[in-house]
Amino acid sequence: MPLIEETVLPGDSLLTLPVVIIGNGPSGICLSYLLSGYRPYLSPEAIHPNPILHTKLEEARHLSIVDQDLEYLSEGLEGRSSNPVAVLFDTLLHPDADFGYDYPPVLHWKLEQHNYIPHIVLGKGPPGGAWHSMEGSMLTISFGDWMELPGLSFKEWAASKRRNIKSDRVMPEEIACYYKHYVKVMGLQKNFRDNVYITSVSRLYREKDDEGRSHQNEDISTQHLEMEDGQKSLIKRNWEVRGYQRATDGSHVPFCLFAENVALATGTFDSPGRLQVEGEDFPFVLHSMSDFGAAISKGKLRGKADPVLIVGAGLTAADAVLCAYNNNIPVVHVFRRRVTDTSLIFKQLPKKLYPEYHKVYHMMCTQSHTVDSNQHSAYTSFPEHNVLSFKPEMKCVLQSASGLKKILKFSVALVLIGSHPNLFFLKDQGHSIGHHSNQPITCKGNPIEIDPYTYECTKEANLFALGPLVGDNFVRFLKGGALGIARCLAIRQKKKHELIESEDGGGEGVP
């Protein structure tokens, strides 16, 4: 679908929208769902297991959650997210999930067309984002139910598609298909544009006031526009979004949009983490599971005497170990932490639910190089070791915590130490909007700093962020970001309409 077609407003050479969402993964999809007018209400028969929260919900049962005080509702709640609205929305959709209960949501959804806020969702691929490119042979870390979006049960969808879901955990390809179907069945397609690549997002018309603060020149950037329903609306051209859409013939069609608000929902899979060591750019040093899987499928590692070198101690590294192990490829596994480190992800996973990861963790503990001198066995771990360099003859220099160096030969190296968002399209690559200024944005160490209830960037007005960019890696928590943003924008739209009505009614109006 062309990016700019009949949606261009009459007399306007460039499209201007209240909201542009960058990223079409679950974060962007959920935000589009709420901006499309879907509203959550407390179900008539629902009783939330938290009596204090339930009392609060009863006080305003006639109002949707979007129209309630999220700070008041979130007060006192605890969960596995540092963002209070994320914890609130999660407990409404999955009450007491962290205690092992499978309670149904206490919410039901209504489509209220008058709450629609015009927006566009821009993504590189089909709706679902990075889920379409994840390794297909691995199970998701979260339960299928926790991956679902509001209003469409994952289990019911799977049953309707006659898909055989053998366990509570599912394949990424199942989740990707569910997200793509979700956009269609919820009627959100008109808001989505695929094959879109953003090259710049810049703020327009900055000025300095008497106190030296930056703001934009509203005389230049403010204009009246006709929305879809013919109602007059006041849109400020706060942001210019540029990029191109890849056409079916492979050509690039450039575009430029103006937006009052921009929501960043890009996730963190853009840029694999790097060791920043000598030789890391050699072609035999890989940084993704997909590249590793391709090497295996093409038979490049078949019959190799030297092991695969896997660097990292997270779940993706564990997936790589399992992948190699299942293909009879010997593994040397290098990681910086001690096997007893309580922050290792394996320590947080129940053994019964995640047996394959605990199998890897068991090997990490029991098949260390200090125990097994034969490093060409099926698996050997090197805890508390750093990679110093890669050599052209496919050798790696390691250093232990005590400073002892060791040289290992390998067939291919796979560096899996996390990934980071690529916000190159923002000024200074977004380094100015994190908790730590002038540092790259990372999910754990330096997420984007936001207002905890509106998800608006504290250092950049009219710029919002949600999902992994603000520290919410799990789908079950990123939905709270969509709720916070939707409420903030709904309040602003209401104020905007009141200003317009005042102007049309003969009041002093808007300058």
Side-chain angles (χ1 to χ4, degrees), residues 53 65 70 73-74 77 84-93 483:
L53 176 58
I65 303 300
L70 300 182
L73 293 177
S74 303
L77 297 179
V85 178
V87 176
L88 168 65
F89 209 23
D90 179 64
T91 194
L92 295 176
L93 295 169
L483 174 62

Side-chain angles (χ1 to χ4, degrees), residues 25-38:
S27 297
I29 295 172
C30 190
L31 180 54
S32 176
Y33 178 74
L34 286 164
L35 295 183
S36 295
Y38 286 93

Side-chain angles (χ1 to χ4, degrees), residues 80 86 89-90 94 97-98 142 146 474-480:
R80 293 196 296 165
F89 209 23
D90 179 64
H94 306 286
D98 286 331
S142 295
W146 291 357
F474 294 106
V475 174
R476 57 182 287 206
F477 292 116
L478 60 79
K479 292 171 275 193

Side-chain angles (χ1 to χ4, degrees), residues 8-9 11-17 202-206 216-218 220-225 234-240 256-261 462:
V8 178
L9 299 169
D12 200 25
S13 59
L14 294 172
L15 181 62
T16 306
L17 285 167
S202 54
R203 184 175 282 284
L204 300 176
Y205 312 119
R206 284 190 182 276
Q216 65 180 51
N217 186 333
E218 296 188 3
I220 297 175
S221 61
T222 300
Q223 59 176 285
H224 289 289
L225 295 171
L234 188 65
I235 297 183
K236 298 175 183 176
R237 284 185 165 178
N238 292 332
W239 297 98
E240 179 188 79
C256 176
L257 306 175
F258 290 112
E260 182 169 2
N261 304 282
N462 304 106

Side-chain angles (χ1 to χ4, degrees), residues 268-276 280 286-288 311 414-421:
T268 61
F269 286 94
D270 287 325
S271 300
R274 297 179 64 86
L275 297 168
Q276 305 295 341
E280 193 171 3
L286 310 179
H287 292 82
S288 75
V311 183
L414 187 57
V415 178
L416 297 171
I417 55 173
S419 57
H420 307 300

Side-chain angles (χ1 to χ4, degrees), residues 364-411:
M364 290 166 64
C365 295
T366 61
Q367 294 180 230
S368 165
H369 67 104
T370 58
V371 176
D372 186 357
S373 60
N374 180 11
Q375 289 158 26
H376 293 286
S377 62
Y379 175 93
T380 305
S381 68
F382 281 78
E384 297 182 80
H385 277 70
N386 287 311
V387 175
L388 293 185
S389 65
F390 296 101
K391 300 300 181 182
E393 59 273 21
M394 300 176 82
K395 291 181 179 180
C396 176
V397 181
L398 303 181
Q399 185 174 43
S400 69
S402 62
L404 185 66
K405 294 182 181 179
K406 193 174 187 69
I407 298 177
L408 298 178
K409 200 167 187 322
F410 59 88
S411 58

Side-chain angles (χ1 to χ4, degrees), residues 297-349:
S297 63
K298 293 177 181 177
K300 292 183 177 180
L301 303 178
R302 191 177 299 123
K304 296 281 187 179
D306 295 318
V308 167
L309 175 70
I310 297 174
V311 183
L315 296 179
T316 308
D319 284 339
V321 171
L322 289 169
C323 184
Y325 191 87
N326 293 335
N327 283 278
N328 298 314
I329 299 171
V331 173
V332 167
H333 189 189
V334 178
F335 46 96
R336 294 180 302 166
R337 298 179 185 177
R338 298 181 180 181
V339 292
T340 55
D341 192 326
T342 56
S343 64
L344 283 173
I345 185 63
F346 309 101
K347 298 278 191 178
Q348 305 169 36
L349 303 177

